[in-house]
Amino acid sequence: MFGRLTIDSLPFYSAVAASGAAVTVLGGLAVAGAITYFGAWRMVMTQWVSSVDHKKIGIMYIMLALVMLLRGFVDAAMMRSQQAIAYNSEGYLPPDHFDQIFSSHGTIMIFFMAMPFLSGLANLIVPQQIGSRDVAFPFMNSVSLWLTTAGAGLMLISLVVGKFSTAGWTAYPPYSGVEYTPGVGVDYWLWMVFIAGFGTTMTGINFLVTIIKNRAPGMTMFRLPLFTWTILITSVLIIFAFPALTVACAMLILDRNFGFHFFTNAMGGNMMNYINLFWLWGHPEVYILILPAFGVFSEVVSTFSQKRLFGYISLVLATCAIGLLSFTVWLHHFFTMGSSAKVNSFFGTMTTIISVPTGVKVFDWLLTMYRGRIIFKPPMLFTIGFLVTFVIGGLSGVLLALPPIDYLMHNTTFLVAHFHNMIIPGVLFGYLAGYMYWFPKAFGFKLNEKWGTRAFWCWIVGFYVAFMPLYVLGMLGMPRRMEHYDIAAWQPHLIVAGIGAFIILLGMICLAVQLVVSIRERNQALDLSGDPWNGRSLEWATSSPAAPYNFAVLPKVESRDAWWDMKQRGVAYERPAEYEDIVMPKNTYAGLVIGVAGGVFGFAAIWWMWWLALLSLAVIAAAIIYRASDDDDEFVMTASEVKAIEDERFAQLAKAPKNEMADEPGFAGEPAPEPAE
Amino acid sequence: MADGPTLDPTGPIALTERDLLFKATAIMMIVIIPVFVMAAWFTVRYRGTNRKARYTPNFDFYWPAEIIVWSIPAAIVVWLAFHLWEYTYKLDPYTEIDPSVKPLQVQAIAQDWKWLFVYPEQNIAVVNELAMPVGTPVSITITSDTVMNSLVIPKLGGQIYAMAGMQTRLNLLADEEGTFWGRNVQYSGTGFADQQFQTHAQSKEEFDAWVEKAKQAGKSLDAATYDALAKPSQKVPVTYYSGVEPGLFDKIIAKWSHGDMDRMPHHSQAETTE
């Protein structure tokens, strides 16, 4: 009945594990309690979890990402504090627990923080940036969200029921095989990645089709805003890369649960096949994460320099080049497997080539600032912090791309410092910049700038203090994933790194305070015009938050920086003579049902409750059949309803200041008609 | 920092690796320093409140700038690529360091959570200790009798994975006497943190005395002793074996490769690469 799930699976064996479980359970109860207290269940059920509106789906993705960011950060803080004290001592975490923590930290940050954050920003902004009313497949979008959430849910459940994997976020066999790691930990990892991967793949398909098919009239490919370009390339990468991960997971699932030998030591298995498949996904994944952040930086740097983006074509070509090259470098993750100099030289060279388009991007962003009028809002601070910090990570990345150096640095904290040096400034700063930049578009009020600036300074200072010592430790030969050590020279650096983690904690607190303060003081920071930053692309043409249909009348695009151009030509905020009926997709619970059943399926498969697994598969099939045979899945918003919403919007506009940025000391002026050449 | 193994190596392999590290870092400063300078300069100069700075809101393309931002990184990458190929061939861990000198043969076997080193020519074996004469190249063939491991002695040079059923190779040379640590750096489970050993680079006489000491151990590493040793254990003290079952290393590989001809030692990478 309960498979291998017994009462011993509950975390009462250790105080640290039990308190982690308690926090998770209490957190869940607190959320449920808060919804009940505010009497919001009806709203949550009818307007949010059943929604197929890309904007609401985007917001839910980002909420998920922020919760998981907190969870992933707690893991990081535990590792840093353990290593700071574990010189010639066991510290406070036994190996088995420490190993679970580094595994969950990586898994959470990549799969359940960064991926949902990226999907969230794409959902929120891309349809509005291309002048579209929705994504191409709104229902599939809802399924994607709930499958990703199912994976994240399994992640949280693993803290309470059973133990998590100790095999790291990459789950290399044969260690992750059932011979060496029995128990449910690796199965948790496998099933959550497998299930969330389906969601991500569908997101990739959805956004590729959306950007190809749903662009407004006149929005040619070379007029797409850079963020949309990066999401387009990211979608292509997702479609090609994620199947490799899904297949690798499926094969390892067969190995672990059904006696197969794809990756085992014996019986003709070969662990390097897994490692090849994993990185065939894993390297493009790095660019899947970072390209959208590059897109955010491109938007932010241009908006807050009050200047056109420099080198648009170069930036687009560089994005495409990075996307293509990302599939040619995966072997640099295991130069040390004993491949020949020929093979290593090839993959090393391909890796260094990626630094060319990346370098071009950095210089184009800098040249966008050149002769601009820079306004230092928090998103811009994150962008400048990124530019300076990222090149250091680029340097260490090129060093690691040289096989002889990789022989020394592989598996050391130098590598850990390198990829955090790419992912924190490159990915997280980008997403946080996007979060602060587009928050008014999602909610209609701006985030508090003072706390945003404080968050930035804590994050960037904390980053340097936490990760520069890891570069040094790598030079001192310290391997990654050390639960304790007996080399005295390492400890001072690890203590400094621990202080860095504490400064980042302050950054996390600033982010939380920023959100609370902003909600409390929202009436002083309302975004009435829908264009709080004097923006350049079409998402600023809609109201904040945008109407369900985004655009009552689809915009006609005549140039890059379409919205800026409309403001210049004096055709922004034009009131159409009449409105038309708009067909909208109906909300549905089918996506939620598929996601929940997917999560239950994963849980059942992990614990070998095969009857429950079959039952949940049947539920998924039923939900798909129900939805597919439901012809009544759209409704019409009549012209008069649209008119009512739009009238309200124009009334609000009349109250709005002419330009919300006009009070900024650095404001360069309204978009004025360009003088004739 | 000065005593860091990477920056203060004691063998030609690690030394050459460090040279490449310095050279590559230096060449990349051509890109890195301008980024720092431009970021600082533009941030200050073009702050919105500085009304004296020139403002060109529509300046979005300039051919010479585009050519420079593409060609300089590209030129650096060309430089890097040449060095990368040269050094990767020169420092290939499979290549014998000095073809005119017969290297000392060592067979390294990764176990949970210790290293077993077999000296086939001396017919001795030792757990968690490696000894080598200074100035003599050492050729270590590596396999694993458990999960994937990675063998590194940072003072001497880089690492290579140890994988069950497969044989990899690492050629090293110590040119100064000393004792340096080596270890597994590929995470391998509970005992990972303590899976380390000391390497003694000694004079020829000291090395011979060390071999003699092992030969006096009185314990031989036969199949039964090996099986007991291979069971998971942590912080295993240095243990000497005065004799080794013939062909032990190949048997361990054969145990896992199980008739898979591609994986037999004679077909391993070392023999197929030129």
Side-chain angles (χ1 to χ4, degrees):
Chain A
M1 180 73 180
F2 293 107
R4 51 176 164 167
L5 178 61
T6 64
I7 196 76
D8 296 334
S9 308
L10 295 173
F12 299 124
Y13 46 84
S14 118
V16 181
S19 46
V23 169
T24 309
V25 173
L26 290 177
L29 291 175
V31 171
I35 296 174
T36 313
Y37 177 78
F38 291 109
W41 278 108
R42 173 178 287 274
M43 186 192 76
V44 167
M45 293 309 287
T46 57
Q47 291 176 30
W48 286 87
V49 297
S50 59
S51 178
V52 291
D53 180 342
H54 66 92
K55 298 179 286 292
K56 286 184 173 163
I57 287 177
I59 290 167
M60 287 187 279
Y61 265 123
I62 294 172
M63 284 164 63
L64 175 68
L66 292 175
V67 170
M68 297 312 275
L69 173 66
L70 181 63
R71 165 76 211 276
F73 174 77
V74 171
D75 289 337
M78 289 174 82
M79 282 187 283
R80 282 282 134 263
S81 49
Q82 164 76 12
Q83 287 195 327
I85 60 174
Y87 165 60
N88 267 345
S89 125
E90 298 296 313
Y92 70 103
L93 292 172
D96 184 48
H97 200 159
F98 182 79
D99 302 346
Q100 289 182 56
I101 288 170
F102 71 65
S103 303
S104 66
H105 170 74
T107 306
I108 287 176
M109 288 305 201
I110 298 288
F111 292 101
F112 301 115
M113 189 285 288
M115 290 308 294
F117 218 141
L118 133 69
S119 303
L121 291 174
N123 263 292
L124 194 58
I125 295 308
V126 165
Q128 301 192 67
Q129 256 190 354
I130 60 174
S132 165
R133 286 194 177 135
D134 211 332
V135 294
F137 308 114
F139 168 65
M140 190 162 90
N141 208 11
S142 161
V143 176
S144 295
L145 166 71
W146 292 111
L147 286 177
T148 306
T149 310
L154 287 173
M155 183 80 232
L156 292 175
I157 289 171
S158 75
L159 203 58
V160 182
V161 188
K163 290 183 179 180
F164 190 61
S165 168
T166 57
W169 79 276
T170 53
Y172 274 14
Y175 179 78
S176 59
V178 73
E179 297 84 1
Y180 294 100
T181 316
V184 293
V186 179
D187 293 304
Y188 262 117
W189 185 88
L190 284 168
W191 285 108
M192 69 179 67
V193 170
F194 185 78
I195 291 167
F198 275 95
T200 307
T201 310
M202 287 194 277
T203 301
I205 295 169
N206 215 337
F207 278 89
L208 177 63
V209 178
T210 303
I211 295 169
I212 299 292
K213 299 288 289 182
N214 280 21
R215 282 168 289 136
M219 180 64 91
T220 58
M221 292 307 277
F222 280 104
R223 287 176 185 169
L224 287 180
L226 239 291
F227 179 69
T228 299
W229 257 112
T230 56
I231 293 294
L232 176 72
I233 302 298
T234 285
S235 302
V236 174
L237 296 190
I238 286 175
I239 293 168
F240 282 98
F242 264 78
L245 177 69
T246 306
V247 166
C249 283
M251 289 163 85
L252 193 52
I253 285 169
L254 291 171
D255 270 12
R256 287 184 60 87
N257 294 291
F258 303 101
F260 283 59
H261 287 275
F262 289 116
F263 310 128
T264 53
N265 270 349
M267 309 287 285
N270 188 332
M271 70 290 284
M272 293 316 295
N273 286 342
Y274 174 90
I275 294 171
N276 271 287
L277 277 173
F278 184 87
W279 288 112
L280 206 49
W281 160 81
H283 202 84
E285 166 70 6
V286 177
Y287 295 96
I288 289 170
L289 296 179
I290 212 163
L291 286 177
F294 286 176
V296 176
F297 293 130
S298 304
E299 306 289 326
V300 165
V301 77
S302 159
T303 302
F304 292 107
S305 300
Q306 307 184 74
K307 189 162 163 276
R308 283 184 194 281
L309 188 61
F310 189 89
Y312 174 92
I313 298 282
S314 269
L315 284 164
V316 170
L317 293 180
T319 305
C320 299
I322 292 172
L324 202 64
L325 289 169
S326 73
F327 282 98
T328 62
V329 301
W330 79 91
L331 194 127
H332 71 211
H333 295 271
F334 44 95
F335 280 145
T336 52
M337 72 168 168
S339 39
S340 68
K342 211 183 285 174
V343 170
N344 282 355
S345 302
F346 172 78
F347 282 95
T349 307
M350 294 314 286
T351 308
T352 55
I353 290 175
I354 291 197
S355 65
V356 176
T358 316
V360 167
K361 282 180 167 243
V362 169
F363 284 111
D364 277 336
W365 291 318
L366 286 167
L367 288 169
T368 305
M369 289 161 63
Y370 175 70
R371 291 185 184 166
R373 287 241 193 280
I374 304 167
I375 296 175
F376 298 101
K377 297 283 182 191
M380 189 63 191
L381 293 177
F382 276 109
T383 305
I384 297 171
F386 149 78
L387 283 171
V388 173
T389 314
F390 187 73
V391 291
I392 301 172
L395 167 69
S396 63
V398 171
L399 293 178
L400 286 169
L402 307 172
I405 294 176
D406 184 72
Y407 295 146
L408 275 179
M409 298 302 189
H410 184 51
N411 272 329
T412 68
T413 58
F414 189 91
L415 176 76
V416 176
H418 160 67
F419 66 72
H420 284 87
N421 200 162
M422 304 315 266
I423 285 188
I424 292 178
V427 177
L428 189 66
F429 282 14
Y431 293 175
L432 289 177
Y435 159 75
M436 295 183 191
Y437 182 57
W438 284 313
F439 188 92
K441 185 48 63 186
F443 292 104
F445 59 94
K446 287 183 258 188
L447 283 170
N448 185 290
E449 282 165 24
K450 204 181 286 171
W451 283 102
T453 306
R454 285 173 189 160
F456 163 73
W457 284 111
C458 290
W459 267 100
I460 189 140
V461 172
F463 169 79
Y464 278 98
V465 178
F467 289 99
M468 293 303 132
L470 294 196
Y471 278 126
V472 178
L473 282 163
M475 301 272 190
L476 297 176
M478 182 176 177
R480 63 197 295 203
R481 298 174 171 176
M482 290 287 276
E483 185 261 339
H484 62 266
Y485 50 93
D486 54 12
I487 294 181
W490 293 349
Q491 192 175 29
H493 302 286
L494 287 165
I495 291 173
V496 174
I499 294 169
F502 180 76
I503 300 172
I504 292 177
L505 168 70
L506 298 180
M508 296 283 296
I509 292 171
C510 289
L511 285 177
V513 173
Q514 180 194 36
L515 189 59
V516 173
V517 168
S518 306
I519 292 172
R520 196 179 293 157
E521 297 174 357
R522 62 187 175 280
N523 290 328
Q524 281 109 62
L526 288 181
D527 167 25
L528 298 171
S529 69
D531 184 14
W533 315 117
N534 195 16
R536 316 185 71 89
S537 42
L538 278 176
E539 76 269 28
W540 305 113
T542 60
S543 60
S544 288
Y549 44 76
N550 296 346
F551 300 91
V553 177
L554 290 184
K556 306 256 178 315
V557 178
E558 293 184 14
S559 67
R560 264 173 230 162
D561 288 348
W563 176 238
W564 184 265
D565 176 66
M566 287 176 181
K567 289 191 277 190
Q568 266 189 336
R569 287 187 285 121
V571 297
Y573 305 117
E574 268 193 350
R575 222 162 167 164
E578 58 184 26
Y579 294 98
E580 56 183 19
D581 292 351
I582 296 175
V583 179
M584 301 283 296
K586 268 188 187 168
N587 284 359
T588 170
Y589 288 106
L592 178 68
V593 168
I594 291 172
V596 170
V600 172
F601 168 78
F603 187 81
I606 290 161
W607 291 99
W608 296 346
M609 293 183 247
W610 301 115
W611 63 270
L612 185 59
L614 287 175
L615 184 67
S616 31
L617 282 182
V619 170
I620 292 174
I624 292 171
I625 292 167
Y626 163 78
R627 170 72 193 182
S629 47
D630 182 9
D631 293 332
D632 182 28
D633 59 354
E634 289 177 333
F635 70 99
V636 175
M637 226 167 177
T638 60
S640 59
E641 284 174 282
V642 174
K643 185 171 186 303
I645 294 174
E646 291 297 307
D647 284 347
E648 201 181 318
R649 150 97 167 134
F650 280 99
Q652 200 180 35
L653 267 177
K655 282 186 285 180
K658 184 149 169 39
N659 192 317
E660 291 191 39
M661 287 290 271
D663 294 335
E664 281 298 323
F667 182 59
E670 309 275 342
E674 255 181 275
E677 292 287 322
Chain B
M1 275 299 271
D3 58 343
T6 308
L7 297 183
D8 180 28
T10 42
I13 299 285
L15 187 69
T16 321
E17 286 170 345
R18 186 191 67 173
D19 275 358
L20 179 61
L21 180 80
F22 287 168
K23 269 191 200 167
T25 308
I27 190 87
M28 276 186 289
M29 288 302 145
I30 297 174
V31 171
I32 308 270
I33 289 172
V35 169
F36 287 155
V37 171
M38 286 164 84
W41 173 30
F42 295 170
T43 304
V44 174
R45 171 80 186 162
Y46 299 107
R47 64 188 190 278
T49 46
N50 179 13
R51 296 285 151 167
K52 284 180 297 195
R54 204 166 149 201
Y55 174 52
T56 54
N58 295 324
F59 176 63
D60 64 354
F61 187 78
Y62 183 55
W63 263 117
E66 294 291 337
I67 291 169
I68 289 171
V69 299
W70 280 95
S71 60
I72 290 186
I76 291 174
V77 164
V78 170
W79 183 94
L80 275 172
F82 277 106
H83 283 72
L84 185 150
W85 282 70
E86 183 198 331
Y87 278 81
T88 304
Y89 273 86
K90 189 156 72 182
L91 296 173
D92 181 3
Y94 279 63
T95 308
E96 281 189 15
I97 290 168
D98 182 355
S100 64
V101 182
K102 192 174 163 301
L104 173 70
Q105 298 292 332
V106 180
Q107 296 164 333
I109 301 156
Q111 298 178 336
D112 284 335
W113 286 278
K114 55 208 167 276
W115 286 98
L116 172 64
F117 298 104
V118 176
Y119 289 70
E121 290 152 352
Q122 286 75 17
N123 191 30
I124 57 168
V126 54
V127 175
N128 283 345
E129 187 176 72
L130 186 63
M132 57 179 71
V134 167
T136 307
V138 183
S139 177
I140 309 176
T141 46
I142 307 166
T143 193
S144 168
D145 198 10
T146 173
V147 301
M148 197 166 106
N149 278 234
S150 192
L151 178 71
V152 70
I153 305 163
K155 278 268 202 186
L156 298 183
Q159 66 194 284
I160 285 293
Y161 289 160
M163 294 164 285
M166 295 184 240
Q167 175 191 298
T168 50
R169 192 180 286 262
L170 191 56
N171 282 284
L172 297 172
L173 172 69
D175 52 15
E176 264 177 60
E177 288 186 23
T179 298
F180 352 99
W181 58 267
R183 57 172 296 120
N184 167 33
V185 286
Q186 176 71 40
Y187 174 73
S188 61
T190 317
F192 167 68
D194 292 315
Q195 194 180 356
Q196 52 190 340
F197 58 90
Q198 293 296 330
T199 306
H200 303 291
Q202 304 164 321
S203 67
K204 190 80 186 71
E205 296 73 37
E206 283 172 316
F207 177 72
D208 291 339
W210 181 85
V211 171
E212 231 12 75
K213 184 172 73 177
K215 281 192 181 299
Q216 305 301 321
K219 251 186 310 182
S220 181
L221 190 63
D222 54 25
T225 315
Y226 178 83
D227 287 343
L229 180 68
K231 293 203 167 62
S233 53
Q234 295 183 38
K235 295 190 183 178
V236 178
V238 176
T239 316
Y240 301 99
Y241 296 98
S242 49
V244 184
E245 189 192 327
L248 176 72
F249 186 77
D250 289 348
K251 278 181 195 161
I252 292 165
I253 294 178
K255 173 169 94 181
W256 295 112
S257 54
H258 194 64
D260 178 353
M261 287 310 290
D262 290 344
R263 299 243 222 122
M264 296 308 263
H266 304 292
H267 289 259
S268 68
Q269 200 100 40
E271 279 72 32
T272 50
T273 31
E274 65 271 52

